[in-house]
Amino acid sequence: MQHDEQKALIRRALALIASGGSERGEPSLSPVSRYLDPERHAREVERIFRRHPLALCPSAALARPGDTLAIDAAGMPLLLVRTRESELRGFVNACRHRGARLRPAGASNQRVLVCPYHSWTYGLDGSLRGRPGEADFPHAPAKDCQLARVPVAEALGFVWAIPRVASSEDDERIDMEGWLGRFGADLRHWGYDRWVPFDQREFANAANWKIPFEANLETYHFQYAHRDSIAQMFHDNLLIADHEGAHQRLFLPKRGIEQLREVPEDQWQLGPHSNVIYYFFPATFILHEGDHANAFTVLPEAPERSRVIATMLIPEPPANEKAQRHWRRNLDSYWGALAEDFALGVSVQSTLASGAQASLYLGATECCSAKFHADVEAALS
């Protein structure tokens, strides 16, 4: 983020702290059918998740030629590959013969991609290189049996994919600079394109995919849900929000930010005095914590079930054991708080089918959560 914008955010924060206020929007309702309806869930997958980029792994997970990652996203089996020319490719993880998966879930390094069913063999570029009984397939020429491609790109230290079959070579490309917009430019300014993973994890979440974003796009809950973890670091129910299309940036001032009133503006820096949330529609969350970042993407699996893919990014690999301990402490602090959010989300999901209420209530300071829902509704329509 450019320094002028950092100063502008700090000024907005100091003014709100002085007035005892917070940014507010219109109170709203969120119908519980949003979290339970199978037909709606299918429309969300088709109209949202198969049309927008999702951050699926750090670029460093596919650093070497031959590195592959098999992962399912929004019901689509994907195979992400680094070619011999160090280019990124994305394919549907399905042999063109009889549809078997080429690779089991997870990472590996391969010279070629071999189907375990009948040994059809593909290059890392997706081209069919060979198959037993070639003469038996006059109706399936090799040029028509390339792996189906999906759009992929790299940005901000992550591999992004749109989980759908690309209709043409041009359709494989994703304009990530255009998609991420000025919030992406913030993170590039801090060097994210060069940052590397310190931690990666994946876990099942017994809640609708939208619930984690509701929690992480408001701070109304901090003093209560996080009373034993991070609440004392932040001002109560205070955030400063900016939006670009369906993307959101939330500035969370720490209590120590008031020290900056005595510091010349040309020396102001966000890093020590705030966290900044970047939410990229539909399902990628990046928490900028000054000298590192924690990110997750939530993938829908069923109305009441989702899967979370999470990464901690740092500027460079730890040089020694002291650095390892430093980043481990930061990681443990982050997951200590985030685990509280996810547990409460599971609690929410467990009551929604009870019939106790037709809608959930979003208050005026939960306006960013309300905007998230409005943008989901707009994408569905």
Side-chain angles (χ1 to χ4, degrees):
M1 185 189 297
Q2 297 293 331
H3 193 234
D4 284 348
E5 189 149 13
Q6 294 185 46
K7 291 188 293 184
L9 284 172
I10 292 169
R11 288 189 209 105
R12 287 165 65 186
L14 293 177
L16 284 171
I17 292 167
S19 70
S22 186
E23 294 192 348
R24 285 174 162 81
E26 291 296 320
S28 64
L29 299 174
S30 183
V32 298
S33 58
R34 287 175 170 171
Y35 315 91
L36 298 171
D37 182 5
E39 182 179 335
R40 178 194 169 91
H41 171 79
R43 286 190 292 121
E44 288 176 345
V45 169
E46 180 58 35
R47 298 186 186 182
I48 297 176
F49 281 84
R50 293 194 177 175
R51 299 186 185 184
H52 299 94
L54 307 168
L56 295 180
C57 71
S59 288
L62 297 170
R64 301 172 300 158
D67 280 351
T68 72
L69 178 69
I71 184 171
D72 283 18
M76 180 75 75
L78 302 180
L79 186 59
L80 308 174
V81 177
R82 185 74 67 185
T83 70
R84 295 296 167 200
E85 296 72 36
S86 294
E87 296 178 342
L88 178 68
R89 289 281 188 269
F91 307 108
V92 179
N93 186 16
C95 180
R96 295 300 303 278
H97 175 213
R98 299 265 293 278
R101 292 179 183 241
L102 297 171
R103 299 295 311 162
S108 67
N109 187 273
Q110 305 293 318
R111 291 188 304 107
V112 291
L113 305 170
V114 181
C115 178
Y117 199 176
H118 298 91
S119 202
W120 283 35
T121 300
Y122 301 86
L124 299 177
D125 62 355
S127 62
L128 180 61
R129 296 290 180 85
R131 54 190 165 185
E134 174 67 36
D136 294 330
F137 295 93
H139 57 312
K143 65 180 179 61
D144 295 338
C145 293
Q146 299 181 57
L147 296 178
R149 295 190 175 187
V150 300
V152 291
E154 294 180 90
L156 307 181
F158 292 97
V159 172
W160 303 70
I162 304 176
R164 60 168 172 79
V165 175
S167 59
S168 67
E169 188 171 321
D170 286 342
D171 193 37
E172 292 176 48
R173 302 186 180 94
I174 308 173
D175 176 14
M176 289 304 301
E177 185 172 351
W179 174 248
L180 297 171
R182 69 187 181 100
F183 297 155
D186 283 0
L187 300 180
R188 281 193 295 274
H189 177 79
W190 281 315
Y192 273 52
D193 286 328
R194 300 182 300 276
W195 286 15
V196 298
F198 177 75
D199 180 80
Q200 298 177 68
R201 62 186 67 189
E202 182 176 334
F203 57 91
N205 180 45
N208 185 276
W209 72 271
K210 296 182 289 295
I211 286 177
F213 296 110
E214 285 181 351
N216 283 282
L217 293 174
E218 51 92 353
T219 58
Y220 178 42
H221 70 285
F222 270 31
Q223 295 302 310
Y224 317 107
H226 301 315
R227 63 171 61 89
D228 296 324
S229 54
I230 61 172
Q232 299 311 309
M233 296 170 58
F234 295 93
H235 286 271
D236 183 20
N237 200 18
L238 176 63
L239 60 80
I240 291 88
D242 292 288
H243 309 124
E244 185 177 50
H247 302 331
Q248 302 195 46
R249 182 183 67 194
L250 279 59
F251 178 55
L252 312 182
K254 294 180 179 177
R255 293 186 182 275
I257 199 170
E258 293 192 81
Q259 300 169 7
L260 294 180
R261 297 185 193 277
E262 311 302 323
V263 176
E265 285 195 6
D266 62 359
Q267 297 178 29
W268 285 3
Q269 295 290 334
L270 289 185
H273 304 291
S274 69
N275 284 351
V276 188
I277 290 170
Y278 289 87
Y279 162 71
F280 294 104
F281 187 85
T284 296
F285 169 99
I286 299 175
L287 178 65
H288 177 76
E289 301 190 63
D291 60 352
H292 68 286
N294 278 287
F296 63 77
T297 293
V298 184
L299 300 173
E301 295 197 329
E304 74 291 345
R305 192 174 73 251
S306 55
R307 189 159 48 94
V308 181
I309 301 166
T311 302
M312 178 178 176
L313 289 180
I314 60 177
E316 59 187 12
N320 49 47
E321 185 58 34
K322 181 180 178 181
Q324 285 276 0
R325 290 195 300 271
H326 168 75
W327 294 124
R328 180 60 58 184
R329 284 194 299 271
N330 279 275
L331 181 71
D332 291 345
S333 173
Y334 169 77
W335 278 107
L338 204 65
E340 294 166 342
D341 287 332
F342 278 104
L344 285 165
V346 171
S347 172
V348 169
Q349 185 71 49
S350 73
T351 74
L352 294 180
S354 68
Q357 59 203 93
S359 296
L360 308 181
Y361 297 96
L362 296 173
T365 59
E366 297 168 290
C367 51
C368 293
S369 301
K371 174 179 166 48
F372 160 73
H373 280 297
D375 290 329
V376 170
E377 295 302 318
L380 285 179
S381 62

